[in-house]
Amino acid sequence: MDPECGTRPAYYRSPLRIMGGDDVKPGTYPWMVSLHGGRNQVFFCGATIIHEQWVMTAGHCVGEGDTTNLTYWTIKTGNTRRIAYSKHLQVRKPLAIIKHPAFSIKTVENDVALIKLDKPLAMNDFVRPICLPEMQPETGTRCYAVGWGKNSEKALFYESNLKQVPVDVTNWDYCKHATSNNEHFSGVPFNLTQTMFCAGGSSLHDACQGDSGGPLLCRKENTTDEWYQGGIVSWGVVCGTPNTPGVYTRLILYTNWIHETIANNTGP
């Protein structure tokens, strides 16, 4: 039987302390996936498990180029430390990479992609799916950005250990104003659209390079510890800039496409 999405039976609270975030213990986010490229399996993006044979990431992590060279890709899950050995680690290769048909690398609108794995994952307490959203998280909702991204704009390396940082969903109009009026915005080729929403804005509390494709995780209402993915880490102006939220794919807009894509590409 498939495990219930958004649950984490191996999780236990820890006092141990993404950008400004806390280290994550094994089993805390069992749906987390890392994407690696090339012969040396260089980490470059996050992703999440949504089905035993499917993971989801950002369209810009996949790019607009050739996705037929599937030997380039390596997909890893079950480990919170990218470099250290984990007995829970599972490694897969892609069978297919499917970008949203309206994704644009120039605007990063519709920034979502699905990867079908070469064989199903073995589901357990450390490897299990996240729930897709049933509604858009409201302004003020406390969610968590999770990933192995850099801990600052100037950092040279990605984090070796998975990190989490709390961020609150912000008002869309406020975010539109904050991003477009940031002094660094002239160097950003994107504009906030209705396919996107924002979270964060506190100094040093943000997703950063390398967190792309990973999730914005929100707790389900009226539960103590059940989670859904409200968004996908998409883009930002400068990591951790005060009063400038990070931008996420509005995932609720794509749930029908996700279900249809999986159904249409799952054969007997």
Side-chain angles (χ1 to χ4, degrees):
M1 186 174 69
D2 290 338
E4 185 177 355
C5 69
T7 59
R8 44 185 193 172
Y11 168 70
Y12 62 93
R13 295 187 182 279
S14 168
L16 291 179
R17 270 261 344 136
I18 289 179
M19 184 171 186
D22 301 333
D23 283 355
V24 167
K25 303 296 288 184
T28 304
Y29 298 116
W31 38 79
M32 284 300 300
V33 173
S34 56
L35 301 182
H36 305 254
R39 181 181 302 174
N40 295 327
Q41 298 185 10
V42 176
F43 167 77
F44 63 92
C45 267
T48 48
I49 301 167
I50 57 170
H51 178 279
E52 64 177 1
Q53 203 168 353
W54 292 85
V55 301
M56 177 173 64
T57 188
H60 77 267
C61 288
V62 173
E64 206 170 45
D66 180 19
T67 55
T68 59
N69 182 18
L70 301 181
T71 59
Y72 171 86
W73 301 78
T74 302
I75 298 121
K76 299 181 181 182
T77 189
N79 59 326
T80 57
R81 293 185 179 274
R82 293 189 297 104
I83 300 172
Y85 166 79
S86 169
K87 63 182 180 182
H88 307 298
L89 174 66
Q90 297 185 44
V91 181
R92 298 289 186 270
K93 301 296 284 188
L95 197 60
I97 299 172
I98 304 173
K99 294 169 289 189
H100 190 276
F103 167 71
S104 168
I105 197 70
K106 295 178 181 178
T107 66
V108 293
E109 285 202 84
N110 310 297
D111 196 12
V112 55
L114 301 178
I115 301 174
K116 185 176 184 180
L117 307 180
D118 59 348
K119 61 180 180 179
L121 295 165
M123 296 295 182
N124 54 52
D125 288 355
F126 296 88
V127 176
R128 55 202 298 121
I130 185 62
C131 300
L132 294 175
E134 297 179 355
M135 59 173 21
Q136 170 64 22
E138 297 179 354
T139 298
T141 301
R142 170 61 55 89
C143 299
Y144 289 82
V146 182
W148 291 274
K150 296 179 179 180
N151 65 10
S152 74
E153 189 77 25
K154 297 180 180 179
L156 297 178
F157 304 105
Y158 298 125
E159 291 291 300
S160 60
N161 195 49
L162 187 65
K163 289 185 179 291
Q164 62 180 10
V165 61
V167 289
D168 295 341
V169 177
T170 61
N171 175 274
W172 189 91
D173 291 318
Y174 164 78
C175 183
K176 178 76 169 179
H177 176 81
T179 52
S180 60
N181 286 278
N182 185 286
E183 62 179 321
H184 301 286
F185 183 71
S186 60
V188 178
F190 315 127
N191 287 294
L192 191 70
T193 73
Q194 292 294 340
T195 67
M196 310 165 188
F197 73 104
C198 303
S202 299
S203 179
L204 301 181
H205 278 69
D206 197 3
C208 202
Q209 285 91 350
D211 291 320
S212 286
L216 184 72
L217 300 168
C218 311
R219 186 181 289 110
K220 291 185 179 182
E221 291 187 7
N222 304 316
T223 71
T224 56
D225 197 43
E226 294 181 22
W227 297 80
Y228 70 94
Q229 184 168 343
I232 301 172
V233 178
S234 185
W235 62 277
V237 179
V238 174
C239 304
T241 303
N243 305 314
T244 305
V247 182
Y248 299 81
T249 304
R250 194 182 294 265
L251 194 51
I252 188 65
L253 299 179
Y254 305 98
T255 54
N256 287 341
W257 174 77
I258 291 166
H259 290 306
E260 290 170 3
T261 300
I262 292 174
N264 292 338
N265 290 276
T266 301

